[in-house]
Amino acid sequence: MAVNVETLDKLERKITLNLPLSAIQGEVQNRLKRLARTVKMDGFRPGKVPLNVVSQRYGYSVQYEVLNDKVGEAFSQAANEAQLRVAGQPRITEKQDAPEGEVCFDAVFEVYPEVKIGDLSDAEVEKLSAEVTESAIDRTVDILRKQRRSFAQRALDAAAKDGDRVTVDFEGKIDGEPFEGGKAEDFQFLVGEGQMLKEFEDAVRGMKPGESKTFPLAFPEEYHGKDVAGKTADFLVTVKKIEAAHLPEVNDALAKSLGIADGTVEGLRADIKKNLEREVKFRLLARNKQAAMDALLSKSELDLPNASVQAEIDRLREAARADLKQRGMKDADKADIPSEVFRDQAERRVRLGLVVAELVKTHQLHAKPEQLKAHIDELAASYEKPEDVVRWYFGDRQRLAEVEAVVIETNVADYVLGQAKVKEKAVSFEELMGQQG
């Protein structure tokens, strides 16, 4: 029998489901009989409870279950017969004017849209490239040296300068009143490294052990401490000790301390270059993939199913709550986060998911087994025991699905870049890594 599908809106549809009462009542009786064989009730031996007693106690809930199951089956069958790709769950409402011997329901739902992808040959995409320079390796060596620096006390008449570690006592007051977190003793920080607000560093720079100073400090409006954000405090600071930093020499001893296999500076620099090149490759891949996806979206036309957008908003909201909980926020799982905060991101994700799926289906861009293996091998290469990481990925279907999604995105991005007008742009290592300024 043909299914009558009514179009309510762009993607919204309605079908009417007619169910014979006899089939529902028959299934209810079958389930009550099965229940009577196992149910325990006071005053009766197990399996000896009369059917009418079981029906009195459980009839309503069993009828509700059967109705739910039968409506679900009828909807799935009708949607399949009409060859509909249903997005989200249908809204089911019972109709009051059902023919005798039947119950009728209206199922209102959304379908996935038709996706139209235009000509990609006139889409413009900027593709970045970058190289690991010797100066980038030098900066990484300096970071590693700083992580292993030692400190020695300077002369008593030495003034604090950038790079020194200072030990201070301080107390801040706002309108003459102390505030939480505004006082500390034997507090250490490194001058000139942004560990303290600029006014604090500026005040301490040039001071000598035993000296005290009072200075005003204006807390930024966006300061993490809400009680003092945007306010000005008067601080009294006393310098107790100044220590000069000593950086280890760049030699074979440093290389050995960093676990370099051959224990040489050349080996250290080669290891750093290899790690930086891996990071550059992944950053370029992510950046160029996003540019390709932006171009693909600009050439695509489709309506968005509200059910899919709402489901994505709910996922994003739950992820945000989980993040707040991890940061220690009390009752984070009940945090009232408005849907609109996530709407743009959710709509983009749904739109991109539908467009990517269409392109994958049309041009056979599925992830091949050898691509999955190559990607996982690359992810595992930076670990001490790569084979364990490879087993970890292949041992879990969910983790493998996540890798498969990344590989499919890469296939789609490569396809788009192969079709579009690509403008190559070389950027510096620092620009790519977000270190400029």
Side-chain angles (χ1 to χ4, degrees):
M1 189 178 80
V3 177
N4 181 35
V5 181
E6 187 180 342
T7 298
L8 303 181
D9 198 4
K10 290 177 182 176
L11 299 177
E12 200 169 50
R13 305 287 184 271
K14 183 173 83 171
I15 53 180
T16 299
L17 308 168
N18 295 346
L19 304 175
L21 270 173
S22 57
I24 293 167
Q25 288 165 349
E27 180 62 21
V28 169
Q29 287 304 307
N30 288 337
R31 292 194 190 186
L32 286 172
K33 286 173 185 174
R34 287 200 298 271
L35 194 59
R37 291 199 290 268
T38 56
V39 73
K40 293 179 181 178
M41 291 177 71
D42 290 342
F44 299 96
R45 296 201 309 277
K48 299 295 182 180
V49 185
L51 188 60
N52 66 322
V53 176
V54 174
S55 182
Q56 269 185 328
R57 173 74 66 87
Y58 296 105
Y60 180 79
S61 60
V62 169
Q63 186 167 335
Y64 181 78
E65 285 174 13
V66 170
L67 212 49
N68 262 359
D69 292 348
K70 292 292 184 185
V71 169
E73 288 169 14
F75 176 74
S76 294
Q77 187 178 344
N80 285 335
E81 284 181 22
Q83 298 182 326
L84 297 172
R85 294 173 60 229
V86 179
Q89 294 295 320
R91 300 193 307 278
I92 308 285
T93 53
E94 187 174 355
K95 296 181 74 171
Q96 301 303 315
D97 55 347
E100 191 174 345
E102 291 185 351
V103 282
C104 293
F105 296 88
D106 281 336
V108 177
F109 56 96
E110 287 183 295
V111 293
Y112 284 110
E114 179 189 357
V115 178
K116 295 177 183 174
I117 300 174
D119 185 3
L120 293 170
S121 63
D122 61 350
E124 295 184 359
V125 184
E126 185 180 72
K127 185 180 179 185
L128 301 186
S129 62
E131 292 183 1
V132 175
T133 58
E134 289 300 311
S135 62
I137 297 171
D138 290 340
R139 272 191 295 279
T140 306
V141 170
D142 286 341
I143 291 168
L144 293 169
R145 290 173 74 204
K146 279 185 176 180
Q147 288 171 353
R148 283 155 182 76
R149 61 190 155 193
S150 57
F151 295 90
Q153 188 163 337
R154 296 181 63 199
L156 292 177
D157 61 346
K161 60 181 175 56
D162 285 352
D164 287 345
R165 183 169 72 182
V166 296
T167 303
V168 301
D169 292 345
F170 65 80
E171 183 176 12
K173 294 182 180 180
I174 297 175
D175 297 329
E177 294 295 325
F179 57 90
E180 189 178 348
K183 182 178 181 179
E185 293 181 357
D186 294 327
F187 183 84
Q188 290 186 332
F189 71 95
L190 289 155
V191 180
E193 298 209 355
Q195 295 175 355
M196 305 294 280
L197 290 172
K198 185 177 181 299
E199 289 97 325
F200 202 105
E201 287 200 344
D202 289 346
V204 170
R205 194 181 286 107
M207 290 179 68
K208 297 177 182 179
E211 284 187 352
S212 297
K213 181 189 285 186
T214 301
F215 63 96
L217 186 149
F219 287 101
E221 292 286 349
E222 67 278 5
Y223 191 69
H224 59 82
K226 292 182 180 177
D227 292 342
V228 298
K231 297 178 181 177
T232 298
D234 291 312
F235 272 90
L236 170 65
V237 63
T238 301
V239 174
K240 299 174 82 171
K241 185 164 68 174
I242 299 174
E243 296 167 288
H246 172 71
L247 299 178
E249 295 294 324
V250 181
N251 54 26
D252 293 351
L254 176 65
K256 284 175 187 170
S257 74
L258 291 165
I260 300 303
D262 67 358
T264 66
V265 173
E266 291 75 16
L268 170 63
R269 293 183 69 85
D271 189 67
I272 289 170
K273 185 175 184 181
K274 181 180 169 186
N275 287 328
L276 292 181
E277 283 177 341
R278 185 183 297 114
E279 179 65 20
V280 162
K281 181 178 178 180
F282 278 116
R283 293 241 181 165
L284 285 173
L285 195 63
R287 164 58 179 75
N288 292 333
K289 187 186 288 186
Q290 184 177 346
M293 295 302 179
D294 288 344
L296 177 59
L297 286 179
S298 74
K299 291 293 177 182
S300 304
E301 287 181 35
L302 68 157
D303 294 316
L304 293 183
N306 292 320
S308 300
V309 172
Q310 188 56 52
E312 189 60 37
I313 286 172
D314 292 342
R315 272 194 290 273
L316 291 168
R317 186 193 279 119
E318 286 311 305
R321 284 175 176 156
D323 182 56
L324 290 172
K325 187 174 183 179
Q326 198 171 10
R327 293 166 185 258
M329 178 177 168
K330 192 179 177 184
D331 294 331
D333 52 342
K334 298 173 187 170
D336 183 22
I337 310 174
S339 296
E340 292 311 306
V341 172
F342 305 107
R343 184 163 299 279
D344 287 349
Q345 188 182 357
E347 287 184 354
R348 178 186 164 86
R349 284 192 180 188
V350 171
R351 182 176 282 109
L352 192 56
L354 293 169
V355 172
V356 164
E358 181 66 25
L359 209 61
V360 169
K361 185 177 72 174
T362 308
H363 299 284
Q364 298 299 304
L365 301 175
H366 305 88
K368 298 179 179 64
E370 60 270 23
Q371 289 181 309
L372 287 176
K373 180 70 167 65
H375 188 75
I376 289 170
D377 284 345
E378 195 163 22
L379 290 172
S382 60
Y383 291 87
E384 198 172 327
K385 293 184 177 178
E387 63 279 5
D388 289 350
V389 179
V390 171
R391 273 198 298 273
W392 183 78
Y393 272 107
F394 278 105
D396 186 280
R397 192 178 294 274
Q398 179 63 36
R399 287 192 285 266
L400 207 54
E402 288 169 5
V403 174
E404 186 177 12
V406 172
V407 171
I408 287 172
E409 281 184 3
T410 302
N411 289 349
V412 169
D414 288 345
Y415 176 84
V416 173
L417 291 169
Q419 299 290 313
K421 293 177 182 174
V422 175
K423 178 185 172 188
E424 302 274 354
K425 182 185 177 184
V427 294
S428 69
F429 174 84
E430 292 75 26
E431 190 177 348
L432 179 68
M433 306 301 277
Q435 293 173 352
Q436 271 195 327

